Amino acid sequence: MNARATLSVSALGLALSLPAVAQVPPGYRIVEVTNNQRDERKPRLNNRGQVVFSSRLGGEIFLYDNGQLIQITNDNVIDGLPALNDHGTLVWSSWIGPPDPSGNPTSEIMIYRNGVVTRLTDNDVHDSSAKINILGHITWKRSYNVQACGGPLRDIFFYDGQRIIQITTDGLPEQVENQAPEIN
């Protein structure tokens, strides 16, 4: 997204990229959420018209809710790849984990529910690309530091609200990449 993050919001929770206001279909409207130089990216929209996104400059998470822009994170940690469900629960990756072999922090999965941030994962591998459904179930990919075919190995994990379950087991030792998890 460019510096003027403009999103279309409907009662159905659909986002459209429309080149001109004259082309906005009936029942839709364009809402300017931000107008700054932070370079907002990866917006996600739920069926209630809430939008979550991260800023590339500063790496913070924001929630747009009913005309109000709320900054969820405000620290010196890179946060990104947010998603949300229809209850307004957010998930994202935060680079706060133990260092990887190159000395950079690993990413962990964070949850924002009812104004409280909790950390779901805590390990020395990269957990990222979390998605959440209406039931609060979360899925994400875990990237191991082992290199195969020029990149890290990955497996898919699932959180049912009480426990973390490994869905795929191909990343180690078979060296297969599992990525881009989705959940409905």
Side-chain angles (χ1 to χ4, degrees):
M1 263 179 134
N2 62 26
R4 296 196 80 183
T6 303
L7 302 171
S8 295
V9 180
S10 79
L12 298 174
L14 301 174
L16 302 173
S17 295
L18 300 172
V21 174
Q23 296 178 354
V24 177
Y28 293 85
R29 63 190 172 109
I30 294 178
V31 177
E32 186 172 41
V33 174
T34 66
N35 184 2
N36 60 53
Q37 300 299 316
R38 280 199 204 106
D39 192 15
E40 282 79 16
R41 55 194 298 205
K42 304 274 185 192
R44 302 287 252 182
L45 178 68
N46 69 12
N47 290 313
R48 292 178 44 205
Q50 294 174 310
V51 180
V52 66
F53 60 92
S54 61
S55 63
R56 190 167 140 185
L57 302 176
E60 303 298 349
I61 303 296
F62 293 85
L63 174 67
Y64 175 81
D65 186 12
N66 197 26
Q68 183 179 10
L69 186 61
I70 305 161
Q71 185 169 353
I72 304 299
T73 63
N74 188 11
D75 51 30
N76 291 324
V77 173
I78 297 173
D79 298 294
L81 307 171
L84 76 160
N85 68 11
D86 287 346
H87 293 297
T89 301
L90 313 179
V91 293
W92 70 90
S93 298
S94 183
W95 277 255
I96 59 171
D100 64 16
S102 64
N104 295 316
T106 53
S107 54
E108 305 296 346
I109 303 299
M110 307 299 287
I111 304 170
Y112 175 85
R113 183 181 295 120
N114 300 322
V116 177
V117 175
T118 57
R119 184 173 173 167
L120 178 61
T121 62
D122 188 6
N123 52 48
D124 63 353
V125 293
H126 289 280
D127 294 296
S128 65
S129 302
K131 303 296 187 295
I132 185 168
N133 69 10
I134 190 71
L135 300 174
H137 298 154
I138 302 168
T139 187
W140 68 96
K141 71 179 175 185
R142 177 168 289 170
S143 302
Y144 305 100
N145 294 324
V146 176
Q147 299 295 308
C149 301
L153 301 174
R154 297 175 178 97
D155 274 320
I156 305 299
F157 283 75
F158 173 78
Y159 176 68
D160 66 4
Q162 296 181 2
R163 65 187 190 277
I164 294 174
I165 302 163
Q166 186 171 354
I167 300 297
T168 65
T169 58
D170 295 331
L172 293 175
E174 289 83 8
Q175 300 187 354
V176 175
E177 288 194 36
N178 299 290
Q179 50 188 326
E182 292 290 337
I183 192 166
N184 65 12

